[in-house]
Amino acid sequence: MLLAIDVGNTNIVIGVFEDDKLFESWRLATDNKRSADEYGTIIHSMFGYAGVKSEDIDDVIISSVVPSLLFTLEHMCLKFFGLNPIVVEQGIKTGIRICYDDPRQVGSDRIVNSVAAHTRYGGNLIVIDFGTATTFSCVTAEGDFLGGAIAPGIKTQAAALFEHTAKLPNVDLEIPGSFICRNTSEAMRSGLVYGHMGFVEHMVKGMKEEMSASLGCTPDDIRVVATGGMATMVESGVSCIDVIDRRLTLDGLQMLHDKNKGLNKKRVLQD
């Protein structure tokens, strides 16, 4: 079995694959203060509920946008599974070409999502991940990662309003009933949710125009694939998203593992 760990700024998503099928997955809060022992204990507890044994894990792959947690999780893998994990970083085989000024600056989550979308859907793509940040990644049919854009996610925007204003409340994010609202909470939801929808439509339109001009295709030839916790909410108010794939990142980790088998070797820890 493969243990796949996707470390985001807000959540860590963990999946166990049996061959290429997702057996079970979990989500827990990202916490820099947790030790390797704590993370190992939590994962073993989740394994127990799902009937997974630690000795069933043959390989581990990690994608992390939180550098301070990477060492902790690598140590956890060694101590609890006796495995050196594959880490998504520069140098691993991806099957796509990073056309970035400095490829080291591309977040591993964007690489994983791009690999998964390119493998699963093919063609010219815009991949949007609605997480702590909303990221856009443009990938060609030939597998060239052209670049994209990064913006604050909806929850990040809401938290910023609450933290940096004296009177605005902390609101739950849901689709408001109208654009013009008669109370502060609904007005914030209108601005946050509908504003983000309009932002996404505008970004996709501009990206399609630039991609189609450079690739010699039409904007309609470019598909938009979305993932992340807020994808369904945003998709309900836009016309530019073609596919929502909630498992894109976990499945991308499984695909990358298949491309990089043998990079990690089992090691017995010494007392």
Side-chain angles (χ1 to χ4, degrees), residues 4-72:
I5 304 175
D6 172 42
V7 183
N9 287 291
T10 303
N11 292 300
I12 299 175
V13 180
I14 297 168
V16 172
F17 287 84
E18 190 167 18
D19 297 322
D20 60 348
K21 304 296 182 184
L22 184 64
F23 181 80
E24 187 58 271
S25 64
W26 305 270
R27 183 182 296 268
L28 61 149
T30 302
D31 188 348
N32 285 306
K33 296 179 181 179
R34 283 187 180 136
S35 67
D37 290 336
E38 288 174 306
Y39 275 112
T41 301
I42 291 169
I43 291 173
H44 272 267
S45 176
M46 295 188 297
F47 278 11
Y49 281 107
V52 178
K53 298 178 181 179
S54 59
E55 55 265 30
D56 294 334
I57 302 300
D58 302 309
D59 277 315
V60 184
I61 185 166
I62 299 174
S63 167
S64 177
V65 297
V66 185
S68 59
L69 266 181
L70 184 56
F71 174 80
T72 298

Side-chain angles (χ1 to χ4, degrees), residues 85-237:
I86 296 172
V87 177
V88 180
E89 57 189 356
Q90 190 175 16
I92 74 166
K93 298 176 183 177
T94 63
I96 61 174
R97 186 167 68 97
I98 307 298
C99 305
Y100 224 59
D101 292 340
D102 183 355
R104 293 171 297 181
Q105 293 183 355
V106 182
S108 60
D109 54 339
R110 296 176 71 193
I111 293 173
V112 173
N113 287 339
S114 297
V115 168
H118 176 65
T119 302
R120 180 165 289 164
Y121 302 105
N124 299 313
L125 301 167
I126 298 172
V127 185
I128 310 175
D129 189 348
F130 294 98
T132 306
T134 296
T135 63
F136 300 78
S137 301
C138 301
V139 186
T140 70
E142 289 73 31
D144 289 339
F145 178 95
L146 301 178
I150 304 170
I154 305 179
K155 289 184 177 180
T156 303
Q157 293 177 354
L161 278 177
F162 174 65
E163 291 171 6
H164 296 287
T165 57
K167 296 182 69 175
L168 294 182
N170 193 11
V171 297
D172 294 328
L173 286 172
E174 56 188 42
I175 298 175
S178 61
F179 286 86
I180 302 172
C181 302
R182 297 181 183 276
N183 64 72
T184 300
S185 294
E186 285 295 295
M188 290 176 65
R189 292 187 183 99
S190 177
L192 289 164
V193 177
Y194 291 144
H196 211 72
M197 290 174 178
F199 155 73
V200 169
E201 288 272 24
H202 185 67
M203 290 296 295
V204 169
K205 180 176 181 293
M207 287 181 171
K208 282 189 172 185
E209 289 174 354
E210 291 183 7
M211 286 181 72
S212 60
S214 64
L215 298 175
C217 63
T218 69
D220 290 339
D221 293 328
I222 302 167
R223 298 180 75 192
V224 179
V225 180
T227 191
M230 306 303 291
T232 300
M233 175 181 286
V234 175
E235 188 271 341
S236 67

